[in-house]
Amino acid sequence: MTFKKTLLASVIGAAMTTAVLPSVASAETSLRMAYDADPVSLDIHEQLSGGILQLSHMSFDPLVRWNKDLSFEPRLATDWEQVDDTTMRMTLRDDVTFHSGNAFSAEDVVWTIERLKRSPDFKAIFEPIASVTAVDDTTVEITTTKPYPLLLNLATYVFPMDSAFYGGTDEDGDPKDEIVKNGNSFASTHLSGTGPYVVTERQQGVRIAFERFDDYWDEASPGNVDEIVMTPISENATRVAALLSGDVDFIAPVPPNDLERVREDEDVQLVTMSGTRIIFFHMNQERVEAFQDPRVRQAFAYAVNQEGIADRLMKGFATPAAQFSPDGYAGHVADLELRYDLERAKELMAEAGYEDGFEITMMAPNNRYVNDAKIAQAVAAMLARINVTVDLKTLPKAQYWGEYDDRAADMMMIGWHADTEDSANFHEYLTACPDPDTGAGQYNAGNYCNPELDKLVAEANLEVDLEKRAEMLQQVEQTLYDEAAFVPLHWQDLAWASAANVDIEPVLNVMNFPYLGDLVIHEE
Amino acid sequence: MIAFLIKRLYHALLVMFVISIIAFAIQDNLGDPIQQMVGQSVPESEREALREELGLNDPFLVQYLRFAGNAVQFDFGYSYTFNQPTTEVILRHLPATLELVAASTFLIIALSVPIGVYSAIRPRAWLSRFFMGVSIIGISIPVFLTAIVLIQIFAIGVSLSPFPADTGWGAWLNEALSTDGGMPAYGRGDPVNVFGTWDSNFASLEGLTYLVLPAVSLASIMLPLFIRLIRAEMLEVLQSEYVKFARAKGISLRRIYFIHALKNTMLPVITVGGVQIGTLVAYTILTETVFQWPGMGLMFLNAIQRSDVPLIVTYLMIVGLIFVITNTLVDLIYGLVNPTVKLTGKPA
């Protein structure tokens, strides 16, 4: 009897050990993460969007990348020097291989930049580049048509692609390097970069799986994650639930309504950061005569309580703004203050002859920015106090942008993040005199126009002395403030959360491109 | 029978034609797909070129005729977001939705028949009252909330301590009220591939755990309705003359309840049930969104957010087809259960 029991026990024990052992032996560090959306394509030149750039940083490497403090960190380019006003020479790493096994060389950089100049989404920002030449295997020279101060900013967008892999034609006879917006292309389903992760599986909208690239050049990187599975979870509540239940280890973004819940949970950690996306209202001077009077615009700027919105509506999840440029940008003017002052606003309205106010229409999206519709309601209520009656309409983003392009209301909300991480970009798209031919002022729904500022920004974009350039951009920001060109609200904060043993803090940054190649997961 | 099926086929074509016209007519209100396909700094000239390339500048009739011409050859166009033929995209998402609907249907049938019958036979028993009370609550809670509550209780877990934890009974009650969670909160996990593009959650125990919460949420919409329907029908049948007669004749109660009465109860239930299966497919949009269940409903919602018009039109047409098919099947089954019903092509 006892013998039988012992035998039984040892059999069960053996079975259990064999069942448990394999998983211990192959203990790979894996990260399960959930973003609100997945990249639309594997072709990193198909669309200029956050999702694509996040993918780029996982499967490719840029020439240089941003540090946490918005300075540049060498990646595939180890060194750079300005040869003359229009030429920059970059030295490249010589020990880099692509996922396909091909060796990385200067030719790949040339090929990539030429492809970027053909991409509908990227060509505008690569416009200043005249030519790129490979001097030798590890040196490239980038020439611009005019002196251009933002070449390094552009270099953060250059993720060298494997020119041999993307060369030639596919089975259908189409060139493998073609960029197709609507339809399948070789590049939208195949990928070979130099980055830390190789894409192993992709089901669009369901999951995308990565595995650490064995021959990754950056051996100094502390990153220890062997595989990553990314699931898009667009529903805020579900994304948070997936983290809290331990189904995923890392989520972004964390919705403001759940911040407290996430912060209080001991098993997870929350990281927040002031962002660089400015949320503001345009006042359309073409539709409303009163907006042509700077005093009226100032009155509006004085009437809006940005701090109240940031504190109460956004629950502290926003940084109140008085200008476009966040701290760290060249044009940021430190002493521009929030100017909520209801009395002053009323005075200005009276001075301008609008004591009794007037009626305006207002539009805002209701699913694009955090609390966008609620913010618009709050602003409408604040304007009522200076006798302005607001007829507010909020729309889902799919419908909103068409209305925005038509300038369909007197005041319209927009949020903007500068693709170049530079102050000039704000002015060029948002407050420059609209010009359909050059694309200047494409999103200037206020029709604000000050040719002097346009000239100043154009000059700044030719100024290679960065300090001098910053002064010029600060002058632009100051003028926009003085003339109340728009009603600034806040910079939207960013929030990520992860399981306690996933050390996300060091790899996060204000651009929202987590450098997952450097991510460390501690043993539990 | 043949005439009936031909008539239904004609119905299906008509339904799909009408849906396609309506979907096409509202596409301008769905937003600009170009906006979703390009970055913010793309100049208007590029956008215009893309619009021209996609044929979005053509007049409505030209666009519709082009679509209809292709649709006749089973080519429903390319999805803007998946960059693949819409039919392929939908076929890939279809199994997930069908499995979810099948699981819910199973739950509804398995629970509503015994509960409905029991509460009709014993209308005044406390258990019947309990079921009726719960079903009233069930009807009035939106599926979205049910889903979130289920996730909180069974995936994340709740720890409650309304009772003093230092006493034995208090600790026990607290323990009874709290849950550990542990159920999957989202997605299908790693479904087993059965054949082709069909990955099944029914094929493994792990797959089933992923199916439970979404299926319960989806079932929660229809379950109370069916319990009440079956109870009401059964009560009525039990009052009828032939049941009284059968009782008087001394036929066993079990036989009366489960052979004679239940059969007649089920006739109207089948009719309603068939229509409701189509409705369940429509409700998957909500359930799949909350559970990030990668089926057609979730796909459809994303398509709307991205103004993916070809995918939206194809989805609506396929759901229309599902409605017609389920209705046809219901009529066929109805004929089997009640042979006095004649299936003809002519109106009765």
Side-chain angles (χ1 to χ4, degrees):
Chain A
M1 195 66 193
T2 14
F3 172 71
K4 271 189 182 168
K5 264 189 186 168
T6 324
L7 185 67
L8 191 66
S10 53
V11 167
I12 292 173
M16 278 174 71
T17 340
T18 42
V20 170
L21 266 182
S23 66
V24 174
S26 66
E28 292 217 317
T29 313
S30 66
L31 176 75
R32 296 158 302 163
M33 61 184 211
Y35 279 169
D36 55 347
D38 61 343
V40 293
S41 169
L42 290 185
D43 183 351
I44 55 167
H45 294 168
E46 195 176 305
Q47 192 183 76
L48 176 47
S49 66
I52 288 280
L53 289 168
Q54 280 153 1
L55 171 73
S56 303
H57 279 282
M58 291 172 77
S59 289
F60 293 83
D61 266 304
L63 291 176
V64 297
R65 76 180 181 192
W66 295 103
N67 264 336
K68 271 189 175 244
D69 57 357
L70 292 182
S71 60
F72 297 103
E73 180 188 351
R75 292 303 285 172
L76 292 184
T78 51
D79 211 356
W80 50 89
E81 60 170 325
Q82 199 78 39
V83 184
D84 56 50
D85 268 3
T86 57
T87 313
M88 180 181 271
R89 184 178 296 150
M90 283 188 154
T91 313
L92 307 171
R93 302 194 69 92
D94 59 0
D95 55 348
V96 179
T97 13
F98 285 109
H99 298 166
S100 66
N102 297 333
F104 162 72
S105 84
E107 284 300 336
D108 296 307
V109 178
V110 175
W111 187 91
T112 303
I113 295 180
E114 277 167 3
R115 188 167 189 259
L116 280 164
K117 285 179 75 72
R118 281 191 286 128
S119 158
D121 271 42
F122 286 87
K123 68 162 69 149
I125 60 171
F126 278 86
E127 172 77 39
I129 294 183
S131 68
V132 192
T133 39
V135 179
D136 57 48
D137 269 2
T138 56
T139 317
V140 280
E141 265 185 13
I142 303 174
T143 323
T144 49
T145 40
K146 288 177 266 181
Y148 186 64
L150 299 179
L151 210 49
L152 281 180
N153 301 45
L154 282 196
T156 62
Y157 281 103
V158 181
F159 296 85
M161 294 170 80
D162 188 343
S163 61
F165 179 79
Y166 292 103
T169 54
D170 62 11
E171 299 136 30
D172 300 335
D174 296 320
K176 284 185 179 171
D177 66 341
E178 66 175 348
I179 302 169
V180 182
K181 275 271 181 206
N182 181 46
N184 250 328
S185 68
F186 177 81
S188 70
T189 46
H190 299 75
L191 186 155
S192 169
T194 62
Y197 293 102
V198 183
V199 176
T200 51
E201 188 203 348
R202 176 171 179 260
Q203 293 175 50
Q204 200 179 343
V206 180
R207 62 192 258 148
I208 173 164
F210 300 87
E211 212 163 84
R212 186 117 185 149
F213 178 36
D214 289 335
D215 294 327
Y216 188 47
W217 61 271
D218 190 358
E219 279 159 5
S221 163
N224 70 346
V225 179
D226 302 310
E227 54 172 18
I228 297 181
V229 175
M230 202 267 255
T231 317
I233 302 185
S234 48
E235 189 57 47
N236 283 336
T238 313
R239 198 163 57 248
V240 174
L243 177 74
L244 296 183
S245 68
D247 282 4
V248 296
D249 312 306
F250 175 37
I251 61 165
V254 181
N257 287 338
D258 286 313
L259 285 172
E260 275 316 304
R261 200 168 151 216
V262 173
R263 196 174 280 137
E264 276 163 18
D265 196 304
E266 288 163 6
D267 301 329
V268 299
Q269 58 170 331
L270 175 75
V271 180
T272 60
M273 215 180 268
S274 176
T276 56
R277 184 192 295 283
I278 177 81
I279 310 286
F280 66 97
F281 271 104
H282 270 306
M283 294 169 278
N284 196 322
Q285 304 182 18
E286 223 162 70
R287 294 174 55 104
V288 180
E289 209 192 315
F291 284 152
Q292 287 168 13
D293 189 332
R295 287 171 299 187
V296 174
R297 300 199 302 264
Q298 283 163 1
F300 273 53
Y302 276 109
V304 173
N305 180 0
Q306 289 106 329
E307 249 170 8
I309 293 176
D311 279 357
R312 262 161 277 156
L313 264 183
M314 303 291 286
K315 303 195 169 106
F317 190 61
T319 311
Q323 57 186 320
F324 281 140
S325 304
D327 195 6
Y329 274 33
H332 180 75
V333 184
D335 43 326
L336 288 187
E337 281 172 8
L338 301 173
R339 45 182 162 183
Y340 173 56
D341 183 344
L342 202 53
E343 285 316 307
R344 181 84 189 105
K346 283 179 183 159
E347 270 171 41
L348 282 162
M349 285 292 273
E351 272 175 44
Y354 291 103
E355 209 165 344
D356 302 329
F358 47 88
E359 245 181 69
I360 56 163
T361 56
M362 179 187 273
M363 272 192 199
N366 57 24
N367 61 352
R368 176 64 187 89
Y369 310 111
V370 178
N371 287 335
D372 37 16
K374 281 189 199 154
I375 294 169
Q377 278 161 14
V379 169
M382 288 166 184
L383 292 177
R385 289 194 236 154
I386 55 168
N387 298 325
V388 175
T389 315
V390 178
D391 174 15
L392 171 67
K393 188 175 174 191
T394 64
L395 299 159
K397 62 182 173 193
Q399 280 107 64
Y400 182 70
W401 296 117
E403 301 287 324
Y404 191 91
D405 287 339
D406 295 342
R407 314 279 185 259
D410 305 335
M411 282 184 82
M412 300 200 96
M413 181 196 274
I414 184 172
W416 193 264
H417 164 250
D419 282 337
T420 45
E421 304 295 339
D422 177 68
S423 300
N425 177 280
F426 288 120
H427 179 72
E428 286 161 7
Y429 282 100
L430 303 169
T431 45
C433 302
D435 181 345
D437 294 332
T438 62
Q442 192 178 338
Y443 293 87
N444 184 353
N447 283 306
Y448 172 87
C449 179
N450 184 340
E452 275 171 40
L453 289 188
D454 291 10
K455 227 176 89 196
L456 196 55
V457 171
E459 278 168 25
N461 282 345
L462 295 174
E463 181 55 68
V464 234
D465 179 346
L466 293 181
E467 236 162 80
K468 230 161 131 189
R469 182 170 182 275
E471 274 171 33
M472 297 159 96
L473 292 173
Q474 281 161 10
Q475 199 185 325
V476 173
E477 201 74 82
Q478 181 73 46
T479 315
L480 290 174
Y481 178 85
D482 294 340
E483 298 200 348
F486 56 96
V487 182
L489 293 174
H490 51 250
W491 294 290
Q492 201 170 286
D493 283 1
L494 299 163
W496 305 262
S498 71
N501 64 324
V502 180
D503 200 7
I504 49 170
E505 214 278 326
V507 302
L508 298 176
N509 52 54
V510 76
M511 276 77 55
N512 197 8
F513 313 143
Y515 297 147
L516 295 174
D518 299 339
L519 179 69
V520 177
I521 297 186
H522 301 291
E523 297 252 342
E524 272 174 294
Chain B
M1 177 78 173
I2 300 287
F4 169 77
L5 286 179
I6 289 175
K7 195 182 166 200
R8 280 306 167 92
L9 185 70
Y10 163 73
H11 271 176
L13 290 176
L14 192 71
V15 164
M16 290 171 83
F17 170 71
V18 171
I19 289 177
S20 70
I21 290 260
I22 294 174
F24 245 78
I26 60 166
Q27 65 168 312
D28 281 343
N29 298 317
L30 290 172
D32 182 7
I34 305 293
Q35 193 72 48
Q36 308 294 320
M37 292 163 77
V38 299
Q40 58 180 15
S41 52
V42 172
E44 191 50 44
S45 55
E46 290 291 338
R47 290 167 198 252
E48 196 48 43
L50 193 57
R51 208 167 275 136
E52 191 63 43
E53 191 190 313
L54 296 178
L56 295 174
N57 286 334
D58 298 336
F60 174 79
L61 205 61
V62 175
Q63 288 195 43
Y64 183 76
L65 287 179
R66 188 170 49 216
F67 166 80
N70 291 331
V72 171
Q73 304 159 43
F74 294 103
D75 170 9
F76 292 88
Y78 260 64
S79 154
Y80 295 154
T81 42
F82 285 89
N83 290 338
Q84 282 171 345
T86 53
T87 39
E88 252 177 53
V89 176
I90 288 183
L91 281 182
R92 211 173 49 234
H93 287 89
L94 189 64
T97 297
L98 290 186
E99 289 200 346
L100 181 56
V101 171
S104 308
T105 312
F106 171 76
L107 280 179
I108 291 172
I109 295 174
L111 293 176
S112 67
V113 175
I115 294 177
V117 169
Y118 174 81
S119 50
I121 298 173
R122 301 250 181 284
R124 271 179 282 278
W126 68 268
L127 197 58
S128 303
R129 288 166 199 252
F130 170 76
F131 281 134
M132 288 307 109
V134 170
S135 73
I136 277 282
I137 300 172
I139 284 176
S140 43
I141 294 179
V143 60
F144 192 82
L145 190 64
T146 314
I148 292 285
V149 169
L150 285 177
I151 290 178
Q152 179 68 49
I153 296 177
F154 296 107
I156 302 175
V158 282
S159 65
L160 292 173
S161 45
F163 303 103
D166 41 8
T167 61
W169 61 273
W172 186 82
L173 277 174
N174 285 340
E175 185 65 28
L177 281 175
S178 305
T179 54
D180 289 338
M183 294 290 282
Y186 76 96
R188 296 179 77 186
D190 276 313
V192 180
N193 189 282
V194 182
F195 67 82
T197 55
W198 182 28
D199 294 333
S200 179
N201 274 77
F202 285 109
S204 69
L205 204 62
E206 196 217 344
L208 285 175
T209 62
Y210 279 87
L211 198 54
V212 174
L213 295 187
V216 170
S217 308
L218 188 56
S220 73
I221 306 163
M222 301 294 172
L223 186 57
L225 184 82
F226 274 87
I227 292 178
R228 301 191 141 249
L229 184 70
I230 291 173
R231 176 174 179 268
E233 290 296 332
M234 188 81 174
L235 278 175
E236 202 177 304
V237 170
L238 291 181
Q239 301 299 320
S240 63
E241 293 295 326
Y242 75 87
V243 170
K244 287 182 186 156
F245 183 65
R247 278 194 198 212
K249 264 181 82 178
I251 296 175
S252 79
L253 277 179
R254 177 180 295 257
R255 199 175 158 78
I256 293 174
Y257 289 147
F258 292 100
I259 305 290
H260 299 284
L262 187 60
K263 196 172 161 188
N264 284 312
T265 301
M266 289 318 280
L267 284 176
V269 174
I270 289 171
T271 321
V272 177
V275 180
Q276 299 301 342
I277 286 183
T279 316
L280 269 188
V281 173
Y283 266 109
T284 57
I285 295 175
L286 286 173
T287 323
E288 289 183 5
T289 307
V290 183
F291 288 99
Q292 207 64 27
W293 188 262
M296 286 200 307
L298 181 64
M299 179 213 74
F300 178 65
L301 208 75
N302 286 332
I304 287 185
Q305 275 164 6
R306 293 179 167 180
S307 318
D308 192 341
V309 178
L311 194 55
I312 294 172
V313 174
T314 319
Y315 170 86
L316 290 176
M317 289 175 70
I318 287 186
V319 170
L321 187 68
I322 291 178
F323 265 86
V324 175
I325 291 177
T326 47
N327 278 357
T328 309
L329 287 177
V330 166
D331 288 346
L332 292 176
I333 294 172
Y334 202 90
L336 290 178
V337 180
N338 185 357
T340 57
V341 174
K342 284 202 175 68
L343 297 174
T344 56
K346 289 176 206 123

